[in-house]
Amino acid sequence: MTVFFRVEELSKSYPGVKANDEITFGMDAGEIHALLGENGSGKSTLVKTVYGLIRPDSGQMILRDKPYAPASPNVARSQGIAMVFQHFSLFDALTVSENISLGMHRPPSPRRLGEQIRRTGENYGLFLNPEQRIGDLSVGERQRVEIVRCLLQEPKLLIMDEPTSVLTPQEVDILFATLRKLSDEGTSILYISHKLEEIRSLCHHATILRAGKVVATCNPHQKSARQLAEMMVGSSFTAPERAGDGSAGEPLLEIRNLATSAVSDFGTSLREVTLAVRRGEILGVAGIAGNGQEELVAALSGEAPASSGEILMGGVDLGRASPDARRQAGLLTAPEERIGHAAAADMSLTENAFMTGCARMKLARHGIIDWTAARKFADRVIAEFDVRTTGPDSTASSLSGGNLQKFVIGREILQGPMVLVVNQPTWGVDASAAAAIRQALLDLAASGTAVIAISQDLDELIEISTRISVLNEGTTSNARPVGELSREEIGMLMGGSHDLPRPEGAHA
């Protein structure tokens, strides 16, 4: 193989931070190369530079032995560079074919484009119906659309940002088979993921970034996941550990036959959701995005009323209670969307701490906000959850994704919930921050709180959960002890299989 792409001493600065600091690395033709680092390490800035979204301050890129300096993504695509972003850029109301045509400079006729989509999909195991609406597709199928759109450009370098964060194990296998086939055909792949076992399985080489600098390169096959994590954070890495004996007490929250309407035209209505979470346990709820997760959190938080069913705490039905009343009763929630839902971007951390902690932390008296108490609460969250920030006056938008997530989770935990519902607790968060959040949830459960953890990350749920239920098309499977389920079985349920037969002699 020959060196296909090289970055030499690439630097990019923003006010107060050097995002990329003289980064140098190279890729061979057909190589799958991992780019690793914590949130804020410079990965996003680097790949956006490669794709033409950002202009570097200094340094150079070499593509096929020639200088490469794309002024825009269009230029990058014309040079054979394609990118599948972590957040899909698709229009739900349009078809697969219509979405793909929007990204093409000179799209062919609809009939010819449909034939190209089918042929490319069949060639790489990414089967798609060109006439199907995006809003009717699963998350895995939507990712196929993004990949096929890139493959129609016949790329020589494909950038993938967290491509498996919303896939079942079976869909991950299909994706990896596709990537290995592309590699065998000579396509280079720059692969970003926080899932280190994936890196070890898939990638030929890895470049590790820390604080904008390259701190190590390695063959990930020759490293353990722990070693890779320690290279990323620059110190020893502690995996989450369970506290206590793992036994659970009485049910603190019972959900009986809950039904709600979808939160959007392409959402999923809940139907007869029945779950119970007990004192001291973490009940994991697995599922592919778009199967009712947002609706479940909205129904439990009180943001959206249930059309039928019961939400019982201590024998009291909270189904008609306001969000504030539920918080007062001890039912707290942390939604998936950090900016805009869990936190207000342009408000300070003190203001964001006040918004959900007002009642339980007594941050207002006689209708007057006690800003001193609110600031102390924000300071406590920052200190106890190692939130990297200049202080409580910093805006939420100034924090990296991992640090904001630690703040959001810490803000809810320090309010002493009886029941905590968290949606995607570590989505898009680096290994160090993810371990800290998971440990905090385990410690919270050990203290007697009942936790519902909704996640698409099966490794996460298997690591922290006592029992696991799967949410598919708006309904839940029977919750089973985590030791009774394999990743493959959970993946089957996520993909739409009916409840798996309970092993003989197993208990609920």
Side-chain angles (χ1 to χ4, degrees), residues 160-182:
M160 304 207 74
D161 188 2
E162 297 287 349
T164 65
S165 60
V166 293
L167 303 184
T168 68
Q170 291 82 0
E171 289 171 328
V172 171
D173 290 341
I174 293 172
L175 174 63
F176 281 13
T178 300
L179 298 182
R180 290 186 176 111
K181 182 180 173 84
L182 286 167

Side-chain angles (χ1 to χ4, degrees), residues 240-493:
E241 296 181 358
R242 293 180 184 273
D245 59 8
S247 60
E250 75 279 11
L252 293 185
L253 177 69
E254 295 181 82
I255 305 166
R256 297 178 181 173
N257 300 316
L258 186 68
T260 69
S261 299
V263 296
S264 68
D265 290 342
F266 294 99
T268 300
S269 299
L270 298 182
R271 50 191 179 88
E272 297 185 352
V273 169
T274 296
L275 292 171
V277 58
R278 300 175 293 200
R279 182 185 301 276
E281 81 163 340
I282 298 179
L283 174 65
V285 178
I288 301 170
N291 275 274
Q293 290 92 336
E294 288 187 55
E295 286 79 4
L296 179 57
V297 174
L300 294 178
S301 69
E303 293 179 49
S307 54
S308 62
E310 298 175 305
I311 301 171
L312 301 172
M313 283 186 64
V316 178
D317 187 0
L318 298 178
R320 301 298 176 194
S322 68
D324 282 346
R326 298 184 197 208
R327 284 188 160 270
Q328 288 280 42
L331 174 56
L332 275 59
T333 57
E336 173 185 2
E337 185 182 1
R338 290 186 283 261
I339 290 291
H341 196 179
D346 296 330
M347 286 188 176
S348 69
L349 298 182
T350 296
E351 291 167 326
N352 274 289
F354 170 81
M355 283 199 297
T356 73
C358 176
R360 291 186 67 81
M361 303 305 292
K362 297 180 172 55
L363 303 181
R365 296 181 181 180
H366 309 297
I368 304 298
I369 298 174
D370 186 341
W371 286 115
T372 299
R375 185 183 178 90
K376 287 181 179 179
F377 178 45
D379 271 328
R380 185 182 167 202
V381 176
I382 292 167
E384 294 193 23
F385 286 83
D386 189 28
V387 179
R388 309 292 174 84
T389 177
T390 56
D393 295 328
S394 300
T395 61
S397 60
S398 70
L399 272 62
S400 70
N403 281 299
L404 181 57
Q405 187 71 351
K406 285 193 289 184
F407 180 84
V408 168
I409 297 295
R411 177 186 65 186
E412 304 309 314
I413 287 177
L414 291 185
Q415 293 181 51
M418 181 179 295
V419 178
L420 176 63
V421 181
V422 290
N423 190 9
Q424 297 287 37
T426 64
W427 185 77
V429 169
D430 61 65
S432 178
I437 291 170
R438 291 168 186 169
Q439 187 64 62
L441 294 177
L442 287 166
D443 292 344
L444 181 66
S447 73
T449 296
V451 179
I452 297 179
I454 303 169
S455 179
Q456 297 159 44
D457 187 336
L458 294 193
D459 292 329
E460 173 169 79
L461 291 183
I462 290 170
E463 182 175 28
I464 68 174
S465 300
T466 310
R467 295 180 298 139
I468 290 179
S469 174
V470 173
L471 183 62
N472 177 256
E473 295 184 352
T475 192
T476 48
S477 68
N478 293 325
R480 296 262 297 276
V482 67
E484 294 182 5
L485 287 167
S486 68
R487 295 179 80 259
E488 289 70 25
E489 289 173 324
I490 300 171
M492 289 173 60
L493 291 171

